[in-house]
Amino acid sequence: DQQVKQNSPSLSVQEGRISILNCDYTNSMFDYFLWYKKYPAEGPTFLISISSIKDKNEDGRFTVFLNKSAKHLSLHIVPSQPGDSAVYFCAARETSYGKLTFGQGTILTVHP
Amino acid sequence: DTAVSQTPKYLVTQMGNDKSIKCEQNLGHDTMYWYKQDSKKFLKIMFSYNNKELIINETVPNRFSPKSPDKAHLNLHINSLELGDSAVYFCASSQEPRFGYEQYFGPGTRLTVT
């Protein structure tokens, strides 16, 4: 039972355009959502997060949107750069113990 | 100066052997985690320690035993290795979960059981 799903295994975007990565969740108890970026042979690195009491959080080229009624969040990258090419994981937190539930990741490829 | 480090990076061993993976963080965090990334690329939490106390213990075979000698270290010992244990294991750390949500990951240990 996968509580966090990233239904697009891959996304290909032209440099300079917008990249939109999507994530759906089923557990209403999730109170915090995070996006991680992962390069091959490295661990995931934290990118941006959003609390369940907000609907948008922005950090430079990265914006995360949360639609609680639809149980959906998305990560927008504008403008996309070739260095953004990586696997992006969506994660959600349920309890105060810090347990994160991850999606299966989306491979983003940004073409020059 | 690596924040979260793991050793070894690669581990190839035979079925039935016992092996350990070590993790160290120099971020001053109180909480450390072990995750497993399987062949389908799902990252799933296995264990979490807060101030050397086990606080998360997911459904993991008893052959897996975490040990935290101090706040900066969390090791993973695996007994009687099986083929299905082949995966990438990530260590992570964070502040006290009530105060910080971001987890910082190590580079991973690729375990291959033959």
Side-chain angles (χ1 to χ4, degrees):
Chain A
D1 178 28
Q2 193 63 16
Q3 299 184 56
V4 178
K5 293 181 181 178
Q6 294 174 254
N7 292 317
S8 298
S10 63
L11 175 67
S12 183
V13 172
Q14 204 68 31
E15 181 179 7
R17 308 293 288 266
I18 185 172
S19 295
I20 300 176
L21 298 106
N22 295 302
C23 179
D24 297 298
Y25 62 95
T26 57
N27 190 338
S28 301
M29 299 304 293
F30 288 143
D31 64 350
Y32 206 79
F33 302 89
L34 306 90
W35 284 94
Y36 280 82
K37 175 179 177 180
K38 184 182 180 304
Y39 292 118
E42 294 183 11
T45 56
F46 170 72
L47 197 56
I48 192 170
S49 61
I50 187 167
S51 166
S52 60
I53 62 173
K54 296 187 176 181
D55 56 17
K56 177 183 175 181
N57 188 26
E58 197 171 350
D59 183 2
R61 297 186 297 114
F62 303 91
T63 303
V64 56
F65 295 92
L66 175 62
N67 182 334
K68 281 186 67 177
S69 60
K71 294 190 175 67
H72 177 84
L73 65 155
S74 60
L75 174 68
H76 292 210
I77 306 174
V78 183
S80 300
Q81 299 173 353
D84 295 330
S85 297
V87 180
Y88 288 78
F89 289 96
C90 166
R93 201 188 89 134
E94 179 182 355
T95 71
S96 60
Y97 292 115
K99 175 184 171 181
L100 293 182
T101 301
F102 282 82
Q104 64 268 52
T106 297
I107 301 171
L108 173 65
T109 304
V110 180
H111 299 282
Chain B
D1 199 18
T2 307
V4 182
S5 59
Q6 295 179 229
T7 52
K9 191 164 177 63
Y10 300 96
L11 184 54
V12 182
T13 187
Q14 292 185 327
M15 284 175 56
N17 285 347
D18 302 338
K19 290 293 178 186
S20 292
I21 306 171
K22 294 185 176 181
C23 178
E24 178 181 0
Q25 56 95 4
N26 61 7
L27 297 167
H29 287 161
D30 294 318
T31 308
M32 297 185 72
Y33 312 81
W34 276 110
Y35 285 86
K36 178 181 179 181
Q37 186 179 33
D38 59 24
S39 57
K40 294 183 179 179
K41 305 302 182 187
F42 286 106
L43 260 169
K44 292 185 179 178
I45 192 165
M46 301 173 68
F47 302 103
S48 173
Y49 269 75
N50 178 256
N51 282 317
K52 297 170 49 181
E53 181 183 347
L54 182 66
I55 57 172
I56 296 176
N57 186 351
E58 292 295 289
T59 308
V60 176
N62 291 337
R63 300 181 293 103
F64 289 79
S65 55
K67 284 185 172 54
S68 181
D70 55 58
K71 277 179 22 172
H73 296 84
L74 180 62
N75 304 323
L76 183 65
H77 188 75
I78 314 170
N79 290 327
S80 303
L81 278 156
E82 300 178 357
L83 292 176
D85 298 332
S86 295
V88 182
Y89 292 84
F90 289 98
C91 175
S93 73
S94 72
Q95 294 176 350
E96 166 67 40
R98 291 174 296 170
F99 307 123
Y101 301 92
E102 295 85 27
Q103 295 179 14
Y104 296 81
F105 284 78
T109 296
R110 182 173 293 276
L111 171 64
T112 303
V113 182
T114 62

